[in-house]
Amino acid sequence: MTATIHVSAPGRVNLIGDHTDYTGGLVMPMTLNAHTTVTGHANTSRVWNLVSHDEAEPISIALPIIDPHLVYPSWGRYVAGVLFEFNKLGCEIPGFTGEIDTTIPIGSGLSSSAALEIAIARIVISITEIAMSETDLALLCQRAEHIASGVPCGIMDQLCIAVGQTNTGTLIDCHTLDVQHIAMPEEIKVVTRFISQRTLAGSEYSDRVIDCHAIEAIIGPLRLATMNDLSNLNDDRLVRRARHVISENQRVRDFAHALTNKDFVEAGRLMTESHASLANDYETSNSTMDHAVKTMMSEPGFLGARMTGGGFGGCIVGTRHRG
Ligand code: GLA
């Protein structure tokens, strides 16, 4: 038997900067202390057989894959998407038999699918010894996510999971893909709270991406836009979408600055303001999440709270003084 291969990839929670990545804006997620692990052995067949402790049905995927989106059961599409993308690079992938385990709650907006993609990609890299930077690994997994789920997601989740460090914010410029690691000050605790199951496939996520394309066709790249550009948009919905993205990019900058200066009150205020912008202008929250944010803010010690990730359900995140 070939050597056992074991890889692990964390989930992520986004501290601030939502719905900014797909227009090349700024985000600051951090990895979670919850992981997806894959353990198994390569073999000379050209079939990937995987069982997951969290899924009823195993997957058996024969290479080469013609269309990852047709793989059944559907969780296998994330695996197939990654294998498909490596295949496109001309990478000869052998068979693999293994098992998957995860402590990341599935369908909660904590990027369990991106963690699975990164873990599978790390298995392929380990078997084939293909040289690949962490940024290219994240980009490959983002393409895999697009094919697997049909959701035109940005790069935030995959890049944070690929390069993130424990208890550290990953400040990403989604245009240049430059990353800055910002340690979470020890006075602050990040609290992630599950609100409801959700899936971005079939949600209004793609509608928001389309709105941003429409805005950029009029005023140019949103990452470079200022509030003055809003006057060139004559559709109220597009004005609100653009206002969110422009203000959110600035909030990420200000948040990073506040954290570095240990201005925790200001950092918290920016998180709560971000939630209001997502709820009112970007319309990716819902009444349950709004209520959960209010409740969190009424609890002793909390400095800021907001929905996190794609929205339409999922989790909220808050910061509070430790102790
Ligand atoms: C999902 C997507 C990310 C990002 C967030 C919203 O998590 O996968 O790329 O767009 O939503 O910030």
Side-chain angles (χ1 to χ4, degrees), residues 84-108:
F84 181 79
E85 286 297 326
F86 272 105
N87 207 243
K88 272 181 22 194
L89 298 178
C91 188
E92 276 294 314
I93 309 168
F96 184 82
T97 299
E99 58 184 52
I100 302 171
D101 215 347
T102 192
T103 51
I104 308 169
I106 295 171
S108 317

Side-chain angles (χ1 to χ4, degrees), residues 105-123:
I106 295 171
S108 317
L110 300 178
S111 292
S112 57
S113 63
L116 177 58
E117 289 150 11
I118 296 280
I120 295 296
R122 291 208 193 285
I123 295 268

Side-chain angles (χ1 to χ4, degrees), residues 32-315:
L32 290 169
N33 188 19
H35 296 82
T36 293
T37 57
V38 183
T39 310
H41 300 264
N43 57 51
T44 52
S45 78
R46 295 215 67 206
V47 181
W48 277 59
N49 285 308
L50 290 169
V51 292
S52 166
H53 295 160
D54 297 271
E55 301 286 349
E57 289 183 65
I59 54 167
S60 182
I61 303 173
L63 303 173
I65 296 154
I66 309 300
D67 184 351
H69 196 65
L70 298 180
V71 165
Y72 187 83
S74 58
W75 70 269
R77 292 174 192 165
Y78 299 104
V79 176
V82 173
L83 301 178
F84 181 79
E85 286 297 326
F86 272 105
N87 207 243
K88 272 181 22 194
L89 298 178
C91 188
E92 276 294 314
I93 309 168
F96 184 82
T97 299
E99 58 184 52
I100 302 171
D101 215 347
T102 192
T103 51
I104 308 169
I106 295 171
S108 317
L110 300 178
S111 292
S112 57
S113 63
L116 177 58
E117 289 150 11
I118 296 280
I120 295 296
R122 291 208 193 285
I123 295 268
V124 175
I125 289 171
S126 159
I127 302 173
T128 62
E129 296 182 350
I130 185 176
M132 184 174 274
S133 71
E134 294 296 308
T135 307
D136 285 341
L137 167 81
L139 287 166
L140 182 146
C141 290
Q142 180 195 18
R143 294 196 296 276
E145 174 88 36
H146 289 177
I147 316 177
S149 67
V151 176
C153 68
I155 190 65
M156 168 169 76
D157 306 345
Q158 289 82 5
L159 192 51
C160 172
I161 290 168
V163 305
Q165 302 171 354
T166 310
N167 217 21
T168 301
T170 313
L171 176 59
I172 304 174
D173 178 326
C174 298
H175 180 64
T176 60
L177 301 186
D178 285 343
V179 170
Q180 220 180 307
H181 298 285
I182 299 187
M184 282 308 288
E186 58 190 22
E187 297 90 327
I188 289 299
K189 188 172 167 50
V190 175
V191 179
T192 305
R193 192 169 286 172
F194 173 73
I195 306 302
S196 66
Q197 289 287 123
R198 68 106 179 94
T199 163
L200 290 182
S203 76
E204 289 179 29
Y205 185 96
S206 325
D207 299 337
R208 299 297 181 275
V209 176
I210 292 168
D211 279 353
C212 286
H213 289 161
I215 293 164
E216 294 197 317
I218 302 167
I219 65 168
L222 267 164
R223 71 190 159 81
L224 304 175
T226 67
M227 291 297 181
N228 292 336
D229 295 310
L230 296 182
S231 58
N232 295 319
L233 298 167
N234 53 18
D235 177 302
D236 174 61
R237 193 184 74 236
L238 295 187
V239 169
R240 287 184 293 115
R241 304 295 188 246
R243 190 165 56 203
H244 165 70
V245 177
I246 295 166
S247 63
E248 186 79 349
N249 281 330
Q250 188 56 44
R251 275 188 290 273
V252 178
R253 277 186 207 100
D254 295 345
F255 182 80
H257 192 251
L259 268 195
T260 314
N261 289 317
K262 295 190 181 264
D263 188 348
F264 305 130
V265 171
E266 172 64 1
R269 189 194 66 74
L270 289 161
M271 288 177 81
T272 309
E273 192 179 276
S274 165
H275 180 81
S277 178
L278 285 158
N280 302 328
D281 278 349
Y282 219 68
E283 296 178 282
T284 51
S285 184
N286 58 34
S287 55
T288 316
M289 300 183 88
D290 294 347
H291 182 71
V293 163
K294 271 205 189 104
T295 306
M296 190 178 254
M297 284 305 289
S298 70
E299 294 170 20
F302 273 92
L303 299 156
R306 60 189 289 279
M307 56 149 276
T308 181
F312 311 107
C315 287

